[in-house]
């Protein structure tokens, strides 16, 4: 399905984080720059100059000031940002979206302690309802008659319920970027909450997911809780090859190369690029390296495990504790195996996309071992950027697994020993086999682009099955 700009002007994208971030210049003037995050970088280039409207939450006072100007046009985008009471927003975002729904959908609760559905939690749930209502009101006020509305992610599960009442003329889809849990996992939520969430999602024309298994889990939940299932579609996101080439050719990326030369030298490179999130399984990645170096003395001083990781959601104690544990473990591996002039682990915790792109260009092995992941775009970006026949060691729990299975070395992410074996196999592989496998992953990773993903959502909104 191809979409004209005329049709795109009738599209409204709705997400928690918006495509523009505002800040004040010294003279007090508000200026906009492109916002951060995977969704924004995938979708923004496709919406520039189309007239599509994006609705998102204001993240700070500067964003709030901009939101008072109504619909803002900057960088070719049209943004309506919502000024939500900061305390209400934080309760909804931290307590419900990130500390509850994210953990439920990833199946990551330590059930002996969490979730704790107490009075504070119910206040946060009321805040989540308020935030969703504010989004729904903004859509209702802004969307042209008969528009197509693409609502993104678990922060906005209840918008569909409101829109079904207030704007039945709209065609709406909801797209979930995380995994979805099975009915057993969902039982960690209060019954009324599970019902409200699923009713909100089921109010859309269709609900989209990155992988078949998340769509199936959602349908199973609907069947158990609502007694009916709603339409679903599967539309994996793909990397934007033009954007990757642009970043790879940038000065920032070139500058990162000399840093990488210093860090890696002539050693083999095992790389990971992730947000610091409990789902990413950073700890078992370091434990696998520890086991590998224990078993294979010949690899000592010959490999570097470079972990380029981005700080994430540091307002949550779970995330802070996870970061500390990760740093302690990396240090322990270095103390155990390091020698003068060689740290087996190089852990860099900062937000530096050009440096990640530079490293993805030259890995021998890319480790992507999430416990569970909606998709994992890094696995695909790595395959497109890599120029050294690097191999992908990929968790079978990543949403991208079925797409990349043919050329990737699959692992059970809980099995540290199997992960160590997979790393060894990748490092030992003969050049001919490396070339064949990395070529297969590259070919698969390039099959879909952000444009395909967007078009699938538009098709689903019209009631068509994508593909
Ligand atoms: O962890 C992945 C994810 O939850 C995505 O589903 C979502 O789009 C993104 O993170 C949101 O991140 P943040 O909370 O930093 O905006």
């Amino acid at each position: 399905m191809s979409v004209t700009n005329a049709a795109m002007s009738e599209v409204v994208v709705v997400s928690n984080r918006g495509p523009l971030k505002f800040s004040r210049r010294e003279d007090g003037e508000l200026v906009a720059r492109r916002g951060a995050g995977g969704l924004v970088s995938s979708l923004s280039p496709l919406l520039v100059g189309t007239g599509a409207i994006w609705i998102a939450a204001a993240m700070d006072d500067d964003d709030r000031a901009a939101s008072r100007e109504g619909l803002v046009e900057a960088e070719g985008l049209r943004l309506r940002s919502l000024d939500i009471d900061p305390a209400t927003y934080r309760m909804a975002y931290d307590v419900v979206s990130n500390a509850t729904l994210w953990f439920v959908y990833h199946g990551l609760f330590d059930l002996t302690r969490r979730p704790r559905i107490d009075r504070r939690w119910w206040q946060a749930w009321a805040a989540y309802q308020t935030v969703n209502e504010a989004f729904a009101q903004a859509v209702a006020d802004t969307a042209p008659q008969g528009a197509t509305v693409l609502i993104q992610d678990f922060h906005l599960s209840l918008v569909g319920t409101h829109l079904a009442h207030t704007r039945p003329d709209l065609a709406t889809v909801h797209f979930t970027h995380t995994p979805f849990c099975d009915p057993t996992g969902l039982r960690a939520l209060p019954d009324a909450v599970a019902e409200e969430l699923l009713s909100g999602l089921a109010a859309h024309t269709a609900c989209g997911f990155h992988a078949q298994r998340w769509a199936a889990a959602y349908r199973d939940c609907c069947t158990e809780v609502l007694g009916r299932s709603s339409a679903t579609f599967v539309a994996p996101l793909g990397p934007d090859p033009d954007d990757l080439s642009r970043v790879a050719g940038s000065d920032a990326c070139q500058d990162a190369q000399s840093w990488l030369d210093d860090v890696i030298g002539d050693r083999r490179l095992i790389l990971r690029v992730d947000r610091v999130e409990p789902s990413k399984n950073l700890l078992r990645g370091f434990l696998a390296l520890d086991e590998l170096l224990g078993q294979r003395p010949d690899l000592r001083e010959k490999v570097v495990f470079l972990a380029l990781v981005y700080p994430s959601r540091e307002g949550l104690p779970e995330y802070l504790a996870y970061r500390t544990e990760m740093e302690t473990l990396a240090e322990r591996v270095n103390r155990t195996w390091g020698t003068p002039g060689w740290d087996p682990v190089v852990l860099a915790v900062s937000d530096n996309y050009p440096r990640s792109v530079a490293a993805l260009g030259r890995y021998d092995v890319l480790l992507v071992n999430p416990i569970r992941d909606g998709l994992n775009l890094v696995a695909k970006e790595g395959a497109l950027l890599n120029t050294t026949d690097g191999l992908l060691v990929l968790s079978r729990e990543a949403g991208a697994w079925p797409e990349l299975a043919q050329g990737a070395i699959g692992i059970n992410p809980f099995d540290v020993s199997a992960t160590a074996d997979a790393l060894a196999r990748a490092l030992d592989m003969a050049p001919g086999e490396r070339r064949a496998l990395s070529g297969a992953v590259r070919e698969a990773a390039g099959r879909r682009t952000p444009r395909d993903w967007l078009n699938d959502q538009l098709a689903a909104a019209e009631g068509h099955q994508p593909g």
Side-chain angles (χ1 to χ4, degrees):
M1 181 190 181
S2 78
V3 191
T4 62
N5 271 3
M8 283 302 292
S9 68
E10 316 243 299
V11 169
V12 180
V13 172
V14 191
S15 65
N16 172 52
R17 218 176 263 280
L20 298 171
K21 181 79 209 61
F22 294 87
S23 54
R24 280 207 191 275
R25 277 200 319 230
E26 274 180 9
D27 61 5
E29 177 99 358
L30 275 177
V31 285
R33 63 186 155 74
R34 196 64 71 80
L39 175 68
V40 165
S41 43
S42 298
L43 211 45
S44 294
L46 301 175
L47 300 192
V48 166
T50 62
I53 295 171
W54 197 318
I55 298 177
M59 296 283 154
D60 58 22
D61 287 346
D62 292 339
D63 281 5
R64 272 185 210 100
S67 79
R68 288 193 277 279
E69 291 171 19
L71 196 61
V72 177
E73 304 211 20
E75 305 260 317
L77 295 161
R78 301 173 80 202
L79 171 69
R80 166 135 190 228
S81 82
L82 299 187
D83 180 359
I84 298 166
D85 165 59
T88 305
Y89 176 80
R90 282 246 72 89
M91 288 281 270
Y93 177 72
D94 285 345
V95 181
V96 175
S97 295
N98 291 339
T100 307
L101 299 183
W102 190 93
F103 278 86
V104 169
Y105 293 157
H106 283 82
L108 277 175
F109 269 129
D110 169 6
L111 286 174
T112 52
R113 295 185 182 79
R114 294 277 188 276
R116 198 178 292 153
I117 308 296
D118 53 11
R119 275 198 26 212
R120 177 173 170 268
W121 192 89
W122 283 109
Q123 284 162 3
W125 177 247
Y128 183 85
Q129 290 170 316
T130 303
V131 169
N132 273 257
E133 229 176 293
F135 269 92
Q137 191 58 52
V139 176
D141 293 346
T142 315
Q145 182 70 21
T148 298
V149 185
L150 311 179
I151 297 165
Q152 306 297 311
D153 236 347
F154 55 97
H155 317 84
L156 301 174
S157 312
L158 310 180
V159 174
T161 307
H162 297 285
L163 292 180
H165 289 113
T166 56
R167 291 293 305 269
D169 59 299
L170 301 175
T172 70
V173 301
H174 185 281
F175 198 94
T176 298
H177 292 261
T178 58
F180 209 87
C181 60
D182 63 12
T184 310
L186 199 72
R187 285 181 213 140
L189 295 175
D191 296 353
V193 168
E195 192 176 334
E196 199 173 331
L197 283 171
L198 292 171
S199 304
L201 295 175
H204 296 281
T205 307
C207 289
F209 300 86
H210 286 300
Q212 204 60 256
R213 59 186 292 201
W214 316 137
Y218 162 77
R219 289 193 302 268
D220 288 348
C221 287
C222 281
T223 307
E224 177 168 308
V225 175
L226 304 179
R228 67 189 156 91
S229 177
S230 66
T232 57
F233 63 101
V234 177
L237 182 59
D240 177 344
D242 298 333
D243 191 52
L244 289 179
S245 309
R246 186 187 56 73
V247 180
S250 68
D251 290 346
C253 196
Q254 297 313 313
D255 292 347
Q257 293 293 358
S258 50
W259 180 79
L260 289 168
D261 289 340
D262 286 348
V263 167
I264 306 163
D266 57 2
R267 298 185 166 103
R268 313 288 301 281
L269 173 61
I270 301 172
L271 176 69
R272 74 174 309 142
V273 175
D274 279 305
R275 287 162 62 127
V276 183
E277 299 199 331
S279 58
K280 299 297 183 184
N281 212 13
L282 294 142
L283 304 181
R284 289 192 189 84
F286 292 139
L287 291 171
L289 178 73
D290 185 48
E291 200 157 311
L292 178 69
L293 294 173
Q295 282 168 355
R296 291 281 304 268
D298 60 304
L299 291 176
R300 295 177 201 157
E301 300 192 329
K302 299 287 189 300
V303 295
V304 170
F305 186 131
L306 176 60
L308 299 179
V309 297
Y310 304 156
S312 176
R313 300 183 188 152
E314 300 211 315
L316 262 63
E318 291 90 339
Y319 279 62
L320 282 178
Y322 190 70
R323 176 174 173 167
T324 305
E325 210 176 335
M326 169 193 78
E327 288 170 338
T328 307
L329 182 56
E331 270 167 38
R332 201 193 83 197
V333 175
N334 281 342
R335 265 202 317 278
T336 307
W337 303 110
T339 57
W342 177 59
D343 281 336
V345 177
V346 176
L347 173 62
V349 189
S350 72
D351 204 336
N352 188 336
Y353 186 61
R355 181 171 67 185
S356 301
V357 166
L360 288 166
R362 56 195 277 182
Y363 61 79
D364 295 290
V365 186
L366 178 63
L367 177 62
V368 180
N369 66 328
I371 292 170
R372 199 148 296 154
D373 213 339
L375 178 77
N376 200 291
L377 201 56
V378 170
K380 294 185 177 184
E381 289 175 337
L384 294 194
L385 285 163
N386 187 263
T387 57
T388 52
D389 292 336
L391 293 170
L392 174 65
V393 172
L394 180 61
S395 164
R396 290 191 290 262
E397 295 301 316
W401 167 252
E403 291 178 89
L404 305 180
Q406 218 173 2
I409 300 176
I411 49 165
N412 172 339
F414 302 100
D415 189 338
V416 171
S417 301
T419 305
D421 291 347
L423 293 175
R425 189 183 150 211
L427 289 167
D428 291 345
M429 197 176 282
E433 202 185 344
R434 290 179 72 83
R435 200 164 309 123
L437 285 188
S438 65
V441 176
R442 190 176 316 117
E443 197 269 317
R447 271 186 214 140
R448 285 179 59 87
T449 64
R451 168 78 60 195
D452 299 316
W453 176 69
L454 173 61
N455 286 346
D456 284 351
Q457 289 181 77
L458 297 172
E462 287 183 10
H464 304 306
Q465 266 299 323

